[in-house]
Each structure stands twice: as structure tokens, then as C-alpha cells.
């Protein structure tokens, strides 16, 4: 349920799209093409805020563009997930 919550919050960030939104378990793919930023740039910006972003799969997954694999489990609190979404909104401005 936390991964679904995270996917929902991240999908509300402008320019962010959840790939295959109905198949979320603990991992889900986030596409950043509409942001105009690379996953590497986004992850660097998140790390500057003490957040480790998703695994960059842009070069691995043919046809998915600038995408990252995010994993959310029971160790992540609702506050952690909200912080990720809020920080992502901030770094993508």
C-alpha cells in the first residue's frame, strides 16, 4: 500500500508519469520525459537533499525514455514518501 501511495503522490508532480500504474507492488517505474531533465540530474538534486532517488533505467529499458525504478517498502513512512514528493516538486521547478 505504501508503494501505491508513493506512486499516487509522485504522479501528481508536474511532468512525472507512472509507467504501468496498475501494476504497482513494491517497485514501480517513474518516467521523467516531460520534465526535460535526465534521471541522473534529478537523482543528483535529490541527493543534495539527502534523498536517494530511483535506479536510473534509462539506458537499460528500451523505449522508456528517462525513467527510474523506485522501490517503496514498509521501512518507508508516509512522511518519507511525502518528503520525496515535495522535494521532487521543488527540484523540478
Amino acid at each position: 500500500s505504501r508503494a501505491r501511495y508513493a506512486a499516487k503522490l509522485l504522479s501528481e508532480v508536474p511532468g512525472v508519469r507512472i509507467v504501468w500504474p496498475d501494476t504497482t507492488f513494491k517497485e514501480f517505474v517513474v518516467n521523467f520525459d516531460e520534465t526535460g531533465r535526465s534521471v541522473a540530474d534529478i537523482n543528483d538534486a535529490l541527493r543534495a537533499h539527502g534523498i536517494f532517488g530511483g535506479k536510473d533505467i534509462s539506458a537499460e529499458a528500451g523505449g522508456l525514455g528517462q525513467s527510474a525504478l523506485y522501490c517503496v517498502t514498509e521501512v518507508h513512512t508516509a512522511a518519507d514518501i511525502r518528503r520525496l514528493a515535495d522535494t521532487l516538486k521543488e527540484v523540478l521547478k
Side-chain angles (χ1 to χ4, degrees):
S1 66
R2 292 182 191 192
R4 286 189 298 278
Y5 177 62
K8 178 187 176 303
L9 287 186
L10 294 184
S11 72
E12 295 171 357
V13 175
V16 173
R17 179 176 61 88
I18 305 302
V19 180
W20 310 300
D22 297 328
T23 60
T24 301
F25 180 56
K26 290 183 180 183
E27 296 178 337
F28 54 96
V29 176
V30 180
N31 178 275
F32 295 99
D33 284 345
E34 292 181 25
T35 68
R37 307 264 305 270
S38 71
V39 173
D41 289 343
I42 292 167
N43 282 346
D44 286 345
L46 288 173
R47 269 192 302 279
H49 291 272
I51 297 173
F52 185 77
K55 179 185 183 321
D56 189 348
I57 58 171
S58 302
E60 300 173 27
L64 287 180
Q66 287 299 309
S67 293
L69 180 66
Y70 277 74
C71 180
V72 177
T73 66
E74 65 279 355
V75 302
H76 302 100
T77 66
D80 293 335
I81 296 166
R82 286 190 302 273
R83 181 171 174 250
L84 167 63
D86 290 344
T87 304
L88 193 54
K89 285 178 190 174
E90 181 182 323
V91 302
L92 290 176
K93 283 184 184 180

